[in-house]
Amino acid sequence: MKLLSFLIFITFSFTCFAQKINISNKETRKGISQVYIYNKSQTITALSDSLGNVDITEFSKKDTLIFTHPSYATFMIPKLNIGNTIYLKQQAINIPSIDIIAEKNKEKALEITSKIDYIESKTVQFNNPSTAADLLELSGGVYIQKSQMGGGSPVIRGFEANRVLLVVDGVRMNNAIYRSGHLQNAITIDNSILEKTSIIYGPNSVIYGSDAIGGVVHYETKSPQFKKEGDTINNNNANAYARYATANQEKTVHFDFNLGAKKIAAITSVTFSDFEDLRMGEVADEKYPNFGILKYYTDRSNNKDTMIRKKDVYKQAGTGYSQTDVLEKISFKFSEKVFLTLNTHYSTSSDIPRYDQLSQLKDNGEFKWAEWYYGPQNRLLTSLAVKIKSENNWFSKLEVLTHFQKIDEDRISRKFGSDTKTTNNEDINVIGINIDFIKENNNKSQWYYGFEAIHNTVFSSAFSEDIITLEQTTAATRYPDNGSNLTSSSAYLSFTNNFTKKATYSLGARYSFTNLTASFADTTFVKLPFSEINNNNGALTGNAGFVFHPNKKWNFQLAISTAFRNPNVDDVGKVFSKDDYIMIPNNQIQPEYAYNGELGITRTYGDNALILNAVGFYTILKNAIVRDYFTLNGIDSLTYDGDLLKIQANVNTEEAVVYGASFNLQVILSKEFSLKSSLNYTIGTNVSENVPLAHIPPIYGRTDLIVHSEPLTIAVYVKYQAWKLISDYSPTGEDNENDATIDGTPAWQTFNLRAEMKLSKSFSIQAAFENMLDVHYRPFASGVSGAGRNLIFTLRADI
């Protein structure tokens, strides 16, 4: 009996003295990872895990604990006064944090040692980006290329398009026709309903699978909020805003509302945007006064194409479009441990003109194209997620996510002076399932493992139509006309161990298998030596990382990772022409692999008063898929659509390297003043050919000075880019040298001002003055110039 009493006493004592708490967002009640906790003497430190949990047993009862995080206000409290939960208040204008932990989604934080930028909803709300592509520039580490105003192609560490993985609410957006050129699909995400965007730099295939070579952009939309514990009324609220901008006469309206009961909650969101033609800046580089200027636009009168002289040469005629986005999320809480969420997104647009194509001139001075535009871009996503929390031998948390996507992507073009309009229709259906497990062991170590299966079906059709007689004939399809399928399946395992309070290591591996089939029924337009493509590939990838934070002042990160990208239907089966070349299919392409090493150092001064961060990386691409000149049946040129064009195809090159560094500065000057700055430098070389690699941006960055004093917040910021010399362009055309000057893309910088005034708890007004000096600039590889002097006005209501 005495022994039993002693054991009970020991067990009770251990329970009493082992103090674990949770750190959560004061507004959302969701756990906050990577909160740094220390006592005033800084002799004891702790770090919250991926769910916001932390053990503070080692701190003395007499200690005052300090809780710090770049996105939240610093909080101090005596240990004796701490309950089960600490709530931190998010800063009014948070600085995108420099972090070492990435979250695959809200519930299953899959820890990896990578540089992460988080862009929270408050940052998006204050900065008012027009699209989810423009939003990514707020990180300071992502470069955005635009072929037209209705687009935005993210570049991360010199990788772009299908080498950057886009994810929304845990679902891969990258599909079988994501191309290697410039990809504009990010704009189909509604940034008005985003809760957080995570930008994860570097290869991450162990966690995210194929395509995560340059990095991952994970958009997370807001979740339905249930009625809070203790409340007597339901959790019902609404948000709305209306925005107007002068440079493109933007008119955007948004409305969302949450209905939250105890067991069921739903959020509904609708956004509509209308953009007219974009006006560029008038102050040009003296050496290139006509750069980006087109003095004419096309019109059709009496069944004849004509060139009309512009009244305003700074207005880029043929850039306007409109877009509508709808989201509906419904969550069911069966218990505190079982949740089910039905999630539906729908995005549609008007026709979106390809301004870069419409700007092309022939040698005789006439436009090459009278019409070139994307048809309405439609994206439907629906998913069903089941989340289970249960402490057992196999998992602490389980999520099963099933999803379906339907994408319609059409291209319509007609040459200047021609009566024949060609329409290419691409319809893609994607179904998939993800099963993910997390097993946590006393907050010291975590196992992550799971499975993924995805199937893509691509239907490609095309026809030509005489716009006068309306007679239709068969035309060449962009992808194999008899259908294409891409199926992938994979399994992964990752282990993270906080083996001391100051050090963490992570190990992981993933195996993926991909099967691609495509069939050509009609080879009349391009006579290929094959009619079918069968491509089966397996890939094993892994990563290892080590993070050491000896004290509050220093953090060191060392990571080695591998990634892969299986060739998709766009890589192996595409036919399209641009400028003076034609791309043709190649059935011999193999997967490309990336081997990456990086070192990151972070130095912190004071209570996050000053944070300096530098990350250097070196990535080797083996079997890199690149565009190159090619021969078909022994010939190097082909007559296509009436033009004699040089033949190109995607091929594997033996090796390419990309290396560079990023530098970040965050300063909290006082309660009212904060400063952030970033600078990015990247070099890329096709080693096999000893030529520059495509998609490598010049040096770029931004600096923001933020002044916040309730109820007013003001930000002054500068965006800048260095020269990109023409000699550093890829020789095979992906960098669009025809859209640059004869010397390349000039350096530029814009000065900008933004302000927000809180009128009350529920209402605020915002104003911005972008590109105040009306500078003409064009981002590297872009086919459209940036906005000139731009005034933006926004009225917001949060009820």
Side-chain angles (χ1 to χ4, degrees), residues 622-650:
K622 292 288 188 180
N623 274 349
I625 300 174
V626 298
R627 185 190 300 174
D628 204 353
Y629 291 99
F630 201 69
T631 60
L632 178 63
N633 301 320
I635 59 174
D636 63 2
S637 298
L638 180 68
T639 299
Y640 181 82
D641 200 17
D643 296 320
L644 183 64
L645 305 172
K646 285 283 188 179
I647 296 175
Q648 291 186 348
N650 285 320

Side-chain angles (χ1 to χ4, degrees), residues 1 4 56 111 117-118 155 160 164 178 262-263 331 345 474 480 563 567 576 587 614 622 637 645 705 750 782 796 798:
M1 185 68 182
L4 179 60
I56 60 172
E111 297 181 352
D117 283 335
Y118 294 125
V155 184
E160 187 181 0
V164 170
Y178 264 40
K262 185 176 181 180
K263 295 292 186 179
S331 291
H345 302 200
T474 303
F576 93 107
N587 64 345
K622 292 288 188 180
S637 298
L645 305 172
L705 174 64
T750 64
S782 294
R796 291 186 179 273
D798 302 316

Side-chain angles (χ1 to χ4, degrees), residues 624-689:
I625 300 174
V626 298
R627 185 190 300 174
D628 204 353
Y629 291 99
F630 201 69
T631 60
L632 178 63
N633 301 320
I635 59 174
D636 63 2
S637 298
L638 180 68
T639 299
Y640 181 82
D641 200 17
D643 296 320
L644 183 64
L645 305 172
K646 285 283 188 179
I647 296 175
Q648 291 186 348
N650 285 320
V651 299
N652 291 107
T653 190
E654 185 176 340
E655 182 177 315
V657 297
V658 180
Y659 58 92
S662 64
F663 306 93
N664 298 272
L665 166 71
Q666 299 181 6
V667 185
I668 307 298
L669 300 170
S670 67
K671 184 179 178 181
E672 293 81 17
F673 292 85
S674 61
L675 175 75
K676 65 175 181 176
S677 186
S678 63
L679 189 69
N680 303 272
Y681 174 73
T682 312
I683 294 291
T685 304
N686 181 337
V687 177
S688 302
E689 303 293 333

Side-chain angles (χ1 to χ4, degrees), residues 398-521:
L398 164 66
E399 178 174 356
V400 179
L401 176 66
T402 60
H403 47 90
F404 170 76
Q405 296 179 80
K406 181 176 178 59
I407 302 100
D408 299 328
E409 190 171 292
D410 305 330
R411 294 168 175 82
I412 298 92
S413 60
R414 183 175 63 84
K415 287 188 172 181
F416 188 85
S418 172
D419 295 332
T420 302
K421 179 188 293 185
T422 300
T423 300
N424 289 86
N425 299 315
E426 325 301 338
D427 297 308
I428 307 97
N429 293 334
V430 186
I431 58 173
I433 183 171
N434 297 72
I435 304 175
D436 299 281
F437 301 85
I438 302 177
K439 177 59 180 175
E440 298 200 35
N441 300 310
N442 299 320
N443 293 323
K444 295 293 184 182
S445 63
Q446 301 85 32
W447 289 92
Y448 305 91
Y449 61 99
F451 311 91
E452 179 184 66
I454 298 176
H455 178 73
N456 290 250
T457 304
V458 180
F459 305 96
S460 187
S461 61
F463 65 91
S464 294
E465 181 182 58
D466 189 303
I467 60 175
I468 297 177
T469 66
L470 304 183
E471 180 182 357
Q472 293 186 357
T473 57
T474 303
T477 58
R478 182 178 176 89
Y479 301 111
D481 58 336
N482 211 28
S484 307
N485 294 279
L486 178 65
T487 304
S488 65
S489 56
S490 60
Y492 72 89
L493 174 67
S494 182
F495 175 70
T496 299
N497 185 24
N498 304 312
F499 64 97
T500 73
K501 289 186 177 296
K502 297 181 179 181
T504 302
Y505 72 85
S506 178
L507 299 171
R510 184 187 190 106
Y511 181 77
S512 302
F513 181 79
T514 302
N515 170 257
L516 186 155
T517 61
S519 177
F520 299 87

Side-chain angles (χ1 to χ4, degrees), residues 13 24 49 64 108 121 216 232 287 290 299 329 343 351 404 467 474 495 511 530 720 779 785 788:
S13 299
S24 294
D49 67 13
T64 294
K108 49 183 184 185
S121 59
V216 179
T232 57
K287 189 176 179 181
N290 295 317
D299 195 12
K329 261 188 184 180
N343 186 6
D351 293 339
F404 170 76
I467 60 175
T474 303
F495 175 70
Y511 181 77
F530 52 86
Y720 36 85
S785 297

Side-chain angles (χ1 to χ4, degrees), residues 81-305:
N81 296 343
I82 294 177
N84 295 325
T85 305
I86 292 292
Y87 293 107
L88 298 185
K89 183 178 180 181
Q90 193 169 2
Q91 296 185 83
I93 305 299
N94 69 292
I95 298 175
S97 59
I98 300 168
D99 215 336
I100 59 169
I101 301 297
E103 294 185 332
K104 192 173 180 183
N105 67 27
K106 291 284 184 185
E107 301 297 333
K108 49 183 184 185
L110 190 53
E111 297 181 352
I112 55 174
T113 49
S114 295
K115 179 183 180 298
I116 317 295
D117 283 335
Y118 294 125
I119 303 175
E120 306 284 352
S121 59
K122 285 185 178 292
T123 302
V124 177
Q125 179 176 310
F126 176 73
N127 285 275
N128 259 324
S130 295
T131 69
D134 295 333
L135 173 154
L136 300 178
E137 287 187 322
L138 301 178
S139 68
V142 179
Y143 194 87
I144 299 297
Q145 181 276 348
K146 290 188 178 184
S147 297
Q148 67 276 343
M149 185 173 67
S153 184
V155 184
I156 301 179
R157 290 188 174 179
F159 296 101
E160 187 181 0
N162 55 21
R163 288 181 178 138
V164 170
L165 180 62
L166 303 182
V167 181
V168 57
D169 290 339
V171 178
R172 295 169 56 94
M173 291 181 64
N174 292 41
N175 58 53
I177 66 168
Y178 264 40
R179 55 190 179 273
S180 59
H182 307 289
L183 204 63
Q184 315 296 327
N185 300 62
I187 70 166
T188 65
I189 300 294
D190 180 9
N191 64 33
S192 303
I193 197 64
L194 292 177
E195 184 169 308
K196 184 176 76 171
T197 301
S198 304
I199 302 165
I200 309 165
Y201 297 85
N204 285 282
S205 282
V206 166
I207 298 168
Y208 289 98
S210 180
D211 302 0
I213 289 180
V216 179
V217 175
H218 191 172
Y219 297 105
E220 298 177 58
T221 60
K222 294 180 180 179
S223 299
Q225 299 298 303
F226 294 94
K227 183 170 73 172
K228 298 175 183 178
E229 287 295 329
D231 285 358
T232 57
I233 60 174
N234 288 342
N235 187 1
N236 300 334
N237 57 75
N239 303 278
Y241 74 82
R243 180 173 64 224
Y244 174 76
T246 60
N248 54 8
Q249 304 298 302
E250 177 199 356
K251 296 167 282 290
T252 294
V253 291
H254 166 80
F255 178 72
D256 71 77
F257 61 90
N258 183 91
L259 302 176
K262 185 176 181 180
K263 295 292 186 179
I264 184 172
I267 188 169
T268 303
S269 170
V270 179
T271 304
F272 174 76
S273 297
D274 180 74
F275 305 92
E276 298 183 20
D277 291 336
L278 178 66
R279 195 173 194 280
M280 64 187 189
E282 295 187 22
V283 182
D285 190 312
E286 293 181 357
K287 189 176 179 181
Y288 313 99
N290 295 317
F291 175 42
I293 290 180
L294 283 176
K295 297 181 180 180
Y296 297 86
Y297 66 95
T298 62
D299 195 12
R300 190 168 178 86
S301 177
N302 298 321
N303 293 329
K304 182 180 180 181
D305 292 325

Side-chain angles (χ1 to χ4, degrees), residues 629-778:
Y629 291 99
F630 201 69
T631 60
L632 178 63
N633 301 320
I635 59 174
D636 63 2
S637 298
L638 180 68
T639 299
Y640 181 82
D641 200 17
D643 296 320
L644 183 64
L645 305 172
K646 285 283 188 179
I647 296 175
Q648 291 186 348
N650 285 320
V651 299
N652 291 107
T653 190
E654 185 176 340
E655 182 177 315
V657 297
V658 180
Y659 58 92
S662 64
F663 306 93
N664 298 272
L665 166 71
Q666 299 181 6
V667 185
I668 307 298
L669 300 170
S670 67
K671 184 179 178 181
E672 293 81 17
F673 292 85
S674 61
L675 175 75
K676 65 175 181 176
S677 186
S678 63
L679 189 69
N680 303 272
Y681 174 73
T682 312
I683 294 291
T685 304
N686 181 337
V687 177
S688 302
E689 303 293 333
N690 193 28
V691 296
L693 201 62
H695 307 291
I696 306 298
I699 295 174
Y700 67 96
R702 66 180 285 156
T703 298
D704 298 61
L705 174 64
I706 301 168
V707 183
H708 176 68
S709 180
E710 290 288 353
L712 180 65
T713 302
I714 299 174
V716 180
Y717 61 100
V718 184
K719 296 164 57 178
Y720 36 85
Q721 172 194 294
W723 260 94
K724 177 76 173 186
L725 298 176
I726 202 71
S727 58
D728 295 327
Y729 276 53
S730 167
T732 48
E734 301 100 314
D735 291 339
N736 298 329
E737 61 268 25
N738 289 341
D739 294 320
T741 72
I742 59 172
D743 298 315
T745 301
W748 54 266
Q749 62 282 319
T750 64
F751 294 88
N752 314 271
L753 177 67
R754 189 174 297 279
E756 178 178 28
M757 171 70 78
K758 294 284 188 180
L759 302 177
S760 67
K761 183 178 179 181
S762 299
F763 295 94
S764 63
I765 56 173
Q766 297 173 307
F769 190 9
E770 296 183 336
N771 194 359
M772 293 186 289
L773 302 182
D774 203 29
V775 172
H776 173 258
Y777 69 98
R778 177 168 291 192

